[in-house]
Amino acid sequence: MAGVIRHRFFWPVATLLILLASNLFFSPDFFAVDVRQGHLYGSLIDIVRFGAPLILVSLGMTLVIATGGIDLSVGSVVAICGALACLRISGLSDQNSVVGVLLAVGLALGLALLLGAWNGLLVAQAGIQPIIATLILMVAGRGLAQLITDGQIITINSSPYKLIGGGYWLTVPFSILVALVVFGFALLLTRRTALGLLIESVGGNAEASRLAGIHSRRIIFTGYVFCGLCAGIAGLMISSNVSSADGNNAGLWIELDAILAVVIGGTSLAGGRFSLGGTVLGALIIQTLTTTIYSIGIPPETTLLFKALVVTLVCLLQSPAFRAKVFHRRRKPPPPQPDRQQQPKVEVPA
């Protein structure tokens, strides 16, 4: 039992189960999953579906943090990509054109890669501290999203684009399938190849990795590019789900939720070892917490405070030092043993 409690996933899984079970007091059919018109419906399905954008952003953030960096610009990238895709689709003569929607999606994702590469160049090549380099795009990117939308909310009516965030495929929400594909791709690259070991090496000590022959700058650059791509896909999901683009509010504060998800999942902000599965658990915890807040009926003005308290509690429970002080009594030191004086040797005369 002690070994189970010490497992790194024990407290995140326990927290997720407690949050899910607490909803039964307010919604007895919370765990019910129905099939309507060939589609899966239910609270559990909604948690994963609405949490898919956060899962994607958190996956990209995990690799960036594992290299010893951080990306505060993912929220702005979410807004930019959603705004660009919706602007392109709104200008089509036929918004249901599959080719036109695919071109808009490709254009938005291409811009996401460029924005991620921009962050990577500033951090890896220019040597700017990650929090400052990404803060630049965080501020400027939100203005760029407003510029793309001209300060207005762009509304579209496109069935193919609606599929990305609000559609279904094989009875399952399409956004969940996209998140699973990205998670599987990242897991394959980092755990079935040497890339994961290289990322952990760079995050542990970038200079030592460089001296060992590892292209640490290239690894850091790749992490930011992947993070930008994940944020771009999340931006398409969010704008697709509501069939509109809001450059001011889309992806607002999602970077903070992503960082919390990574930390809850067991990845250290100092870099080094990381866990993609733990990150997914952290993102589901945050989304479940949001759903629980709404079901309980907590006033909106106290929502952020309640979320902060729960996340703080989870992080404290994950801390071995905190658990040692709270749940374990300090062992009394053994009493000092008296020093045994060595008896003088007596030489026996021959």
Side-chain angles (χ1 to χ4, degrees):
M1 185 62 182
V4 175
I5 295 178
R6 285 195 297 266
H7 195 277
R8 60 179 178 177
F9 286 162
F10 174 79
W11 291 109
V13 171
T15 303
L16 180 60
L17 293 178
I18 292 173
L19 287 175
L20 291 173
S22 63
N23 286 273
L24 292 175
F25 296 99
F26 307 94
S27 178
D29 57 346
F30 181 79
F31 288 98
V33 177
D34 301 328
V35 179
R36 305 173 188 171
Q37 299 178 351
H39 299 158
L40 290 176
Y41 286 93
S43 299
L44 296 178
I45 301 298
D46 289 339
I47 287 175
V48 184
R49 181 165 69 93
F50 292 124
L54 178 58
I55 291 175
L56 288 173
V57 175
S58 301
L59 288 174
M61 187 72 74
T62 301
L63 297 188
V64 169
I65 290 178
T67 61
I70 200 166
D71 192 348
L72 299 179
S73 67
V74 288
S76 297
V77 175
V78 166
I80 292 172
C81 293
L84 182 60
C86 288
L87 178 65
R88 182 74 178 83
I89 293 174
S90 65
L92 297 175
S93 56
D94 181 14
Q95 294 189 7
N96 292 319
S97 172
V98 176
V99 175
V101 171
L102 289 178
L103 289 176
V105 169
L107 183 63
L109 293 182
L111 180 57
L113 290 173
L114 288 177
L115 294 175
W118 167 258
N119 285 333
L121 287 174
L122 291 181
V123 176
Q125 300 297 330
I128 302 177
Q129 290 186 356
I131 192 172
I132 301 300
T134 57
L135 184 63
I136 296 173
L137 185 57
M138 177 185 178
V139 177
R142 190 65 64 174
L144 179 59
Q146 292 275 31
L147 184 63
I148 293 174
T149 60
D150 197 20
Q152 306 296 321
I153 297 178
I154 301 177
T155 304
I156 60 175
N157 185 15
S158 175
S159 297
Y161 190 69
K162 182 73 174 178
L163 173 66
I164 299 175
Y168 289 79
W169 191 60
L170 299 177
T171 73
V172 181
F174 190 74
S175 58
I176 297 179
L177 298 177
V178 173
L180 284 175
V181 169
V182 175
F183 172 71
F185 177 74
L187 196 64
L188 180 66
L189 286 182
T190 56
R191 297 310 180 196
R192 295 300 179 182
T193 68
L195 181 60
L197 182 61
L198 296 178
I199 291 175
E200 293 179 350
S201 175
V202 171
N205 193 322
E207 183 61 21
S209 300
R210 185 188 66 82
L211 295 176
I214 300 175
H215 297 284
S216 57
R217 292 182 178 180
R218 188 179 303 174
I219 298 295
I220 294 174
F221 176 81
T222 303
Y224 281 95
V225 172
F226 178 74
C227 187
L229 177 63
C230 290
I233 300 174
L236 297 179
M237 282 186 182
I238 293 175
S239 60
S240 167
N241 192 36
V242 295
S243 297
S244 62
D246 185 355
N248 186 38
N249 295 314
L252 192 63
W253 310 125
I254 195 172
E255 58 273 1
L256 301 184
D257 284 343
I259 295 172
L260 287 175
V262 174
V263 173
I264 291 174
T267 300
S268 173
L269 289 177
R273 297 187 61 183
F274 64 93
S275 172
L276 294 176
T279 295
V280 174
L281 276 175
L284 290 177
I285 287 174
I286 293 177
Q287 184 59 45
T288 304
L289 179 59
T290 302
T291 303
T292 303
I293 289 173
Y294 292 147
S295 64
I296 292 176
I298 294 178
E301 58 270 15
T302 61
T303 297
L304 294 178
L305 177 60
F306 183 79
K307 182 186 292 187
L309 292 176
V310 174
V311 171
T312 301
L313 179 61
V314 175
C315 292
L316 288 176
L317 290 175
Q318 283 185 285
S319 171
F322 177 80
R323 294 200 307 268
K325 292 181 179 180
V326 175
F327 299 107
H328 301 286
R329 295 180 180 178
R330 293 184 177 181
R331 295 181 179 180
K332 295 182 179 180
Q337 298 292 335
D339 296 335
R340 294 182 178 178
Q341 296 181 355
Q342 295 183 354
Q343 297 294 332
K345 294 182 179 180
V346 179
E347 296 183 359
V348 179

